[in-house]
Amino acid sequence: MKTAVYVYTGTGNSLWTARELASRIGQAELISLNRHEKQLPLCEADIIGLVFPVHIWGVPPPVMEFLDLIKTNPKPYVFAVAVNAGQVAATLIQLKKLLQAKNLHLSCGFSIDLPSNYIPWGGAISQQKQQKKISAALEKIERIAGTVRNKEDLPVEKGSLWQNIFFSLIYKKSLPHIAGMDKSFFADEKCSSCGICAKICPARNILMTEGKPVWQRRCEQCFACIQWCPEEAIQYGKGTRNKKRYHHPDISLKDMLACTEGKKS
Ligand SMILES: Cc1cc2nc3c(=O)[nH]c(=O)nc-3n(C[C@H](O)[C@H](O)[C@H](O)COP(=O)(O)O)c2cc1C
Ligand code: SF4
Ligand code: SF4
């Protein structure tokens, strides 16, 4: 039984989740969606998994783009994990509908709550709090792997009704503006011109010009650039200068760059 786990990630939470899950499901191949090609080979796996972060209470645009492109065997078993910071809202309901439109059935969809990478709303939480979330996530991943191995069919996880209605509206209103939200990014005087931000960006949205990053208005809002800059030189508006950066503690810059370069994770 072949399993393909597709993963999109900005700060490693989804990559870590996908890895932990794949190792428990067995015979699973991890495929990175960071900078995926516009033409995808037929996916012949019997089980297909999608692991991605929740962005603005919904499915991130690159994942939607991938769903437009994927071609599969007639009836794969499909599962999903929406990695978030406590507000999955209607993300998995949205995903289920997107898959239905492709004649694919989402058999189960889970929320995994890990530390937030949305730095405008707060810097990294303490290492102790991070570990608490990671341990709880691991327990849930163990259960998810069992569900997938048994090919169970369950309702997808979702937020409360008011959250789903209200946040879905905000998601829809925000979608057309995501690409241009990078206008709030800038590199401050600490920038050492290392170019890591340009290399790690899944959207190829950063060009190095005279040794400094210049954002190109095709942002995916994954926050990889700001969170992985080794000098903490990237800011997002006025409020991020003194906030602690975050990426998953078990995911390295090398892992992320491999993901972006399309190498096996
Ligand atoms: C632009 C943006 C929007 C986000 N929106 C949500 C959200 O709606 N709900 C939520 O719980 N977390 C939200 N987050 C937090 C991420 O989903 C969360 O930190 C996730 O674990 C990041 O996964 P990654 O490390 O694989 O990128 C958002 C993060 C970013 C950067
Ligand atoms: S990663 Fe940071 S230090 Fe390196 S070029 Fe980008 S902004 Fe400058
Ligand atoms: S510019 Fe930054 S936030 Fe936007 S897609 Fe690239 S790495 Fe992600």
Side-chain angles (χ1 to χ4, degrees), residues 162-227:
W162 78 264
Q163 272 193 355
N164 299 350
I165 295 170
F166 181 64
F167 290 143
S168 298
L169 279 176
I170 300 182
Y171 173 84
K172 276 189 198 131
K173 280 209 171 289
S174 308
L175 259 189
H177 308 290
I178 288 178
M181 286 180 184
D182 62 359
K183 60 180 182 295
S184 299
F185 284 123
F186 65 94
D188 68 20
E189 66 292 342
K190 296 193 290 300
C191 174
S192 65
S193 305
C194 69
I196 286 171
C197 50
K199 282 195 200 125
I200 211 167
C201 173
R204 295 188 174 88
N205 182 43
I206 298 174
L207 294 184
M208 295 300 289
T209 308
E210 294 174 7
K212 301 292 167 213
V214 181
W215 284 262
Q216 303 295 313
R217 305 293 179 266
R218 45 172 191 266
C219 185
E220 296 173 358
Q221 284 283 288
C222 70
F223 276 35
C225 53
I226 185 167
Q227 298 285 14

